[in-house]
Amino acid sequence: VAQDIILDFLRDLLGDGRERLIIAADELGLLHRTLRDLESLDWTERDLASMRLGRYGLEETVPDLVKALRDRNIQVRYTAARSLGLIGTPEAEDALIDILDHPDLIDAPRVLEIVQTMPNHGLRPLQRMLSSENHPLEAKLLAIDLVGDLRVYALIEELLTILNSSSKEKVL
C-alpha cells in the first residue's frame, strides 16, 4: 500500500519533497524489492518493476533497466524503454538509441510513445541519430519519421541536411 501511495505522489512532486519520498521508499525497502522483482520468473512482476523504476526516476537504476531491454517478454522491454525515457540520463539515451538501431526489439508505435515521454521529446537522442551515419537505414528512417510526427522544430537543420543525402529513402 505504501508503495502505491509513494508512486502516486512521485508523479507530481519535484525537488526536495520528491527526494524525501524516495528516501522513505528506500528505508521501507521498496527500491530493493523493486530491483529484486526485475529478476522474477513472472513477466508481469518484471513489467511492474520496470514501470516503478521509471516512476522513481533514479539514475542508478539505469543499468538494471538497460538489462531489462533484453527481456524475453516484449512488454517488459517496452516498459523498460519507457522508463529509461522518463529518467532521461545520457546512459538512458544511449540505450534508447540502441533500441532505435534494433527496431525488432520494440515496434515503431511504441518507440514513438517512448520518445514522447522523454524530456524535450527525445531531442538529444533523435539529433544524435540524424547527425550520424553509424545507424542502419531502417533506424535512421524511423528517427526521421519521429521528428516529423512529433514536430520537433529544433531539428529542422538536421532534416535539411538529410535532404541533400544520396539516399532516396532518407530524402523521401
Side-chain angles (χ1 to χ4, degrees):
V1 173
Q3 182 166 253
D4 291 340
I5 293 169
I6 289 171
L7 289 172
D8 194 44
F9 277 110
L10 284 176
R11 285 185 199 183
D12 302 320
L13 284 177
L14 299 171
D16 191 48
R18 180 179 179 76
E19 288 178 30
R20 288 181 182 177
L21 204 52
I22 289 174
I23 290 169
D26 191 31
E27 289 175 357
L28 290 169
L30 300 176
L31 296 175
H32 176 73
R33 188 170 81 195
T34 300
L35 289 169
R36 189 184 67 226
D37 287 348
L38 271 181
E39 303 297 325
S40 172
L41 295 176
D42 182 353
W43 76 267
T44 58
E45 287 297 321
R46 296 191 311 274
D47 187 55
L48 287 170
S50 295
M51 181 274 304
R52 290 180 191 124
L53 291 177
R55 203 71 76 70
Y56 286 124
L58 300 171
E59 291 183 24
E60 58 266 24
T61 63
V62 167
D64 299 293
L65 288 167
V66 169
K67 183 179 172 190
L69 291 174
R70 301 285 186 235
D71 194 275
R72 61 188 171 276
N73 184 283
I74 191 168
Q75 183 62 36
V76 175
R77 294 193 305 259
Y78 161 69
T79 303
R82 188 170 184 277
S83 290
L84 285 166
L86 290 170
I87 294 172
T89 65
E91 296 85 6
E93 290 177 10
D94 290 343
L96 291 169
I97 288 174
D98 187 48
I99 287 172
L100 290 171
D101 280 342
H102 300 92
D104 54 306
L105 295 178
I106 296 178
D107 57 40
R110 287 188 168 176
V111 171
L112 176 62
E113 184 181 339
I114 292 163
V115 173
Q116 283 177 316
T117 65
M118 294 181 73
N120 299 317
H121 293 302
L123 177 66
R124 288 185 306 200
L126 288 174
Q127 185 174 32
R128 287 172 53 192
M129 289 286 297
L130 295 180
S131 300
S132 172
E133 293 300 322
N134 299 329
H135 302 283
L137 178 62
E138 186 178 345
K140 190 88 159 190
L141 295 174
L142 177 58
I144 292 168
D145 284 342
L146 286 170
V147 169
D149 291 344
L150 294 170
R151 298 179 182 181
V152 184
Y153 296 110
L155 297 179
I156 288 176
E157 289 300 318
E158 284 80 358
L159 292 176
L160 290 173
T161 300
I162 292 171
L163 281 176
N164 295 319
S165 169
S166 61
S167 169
K168 292 179 184 179
E169 293 93 347
K170 291 179 191 175
V171 172
L172 286 174

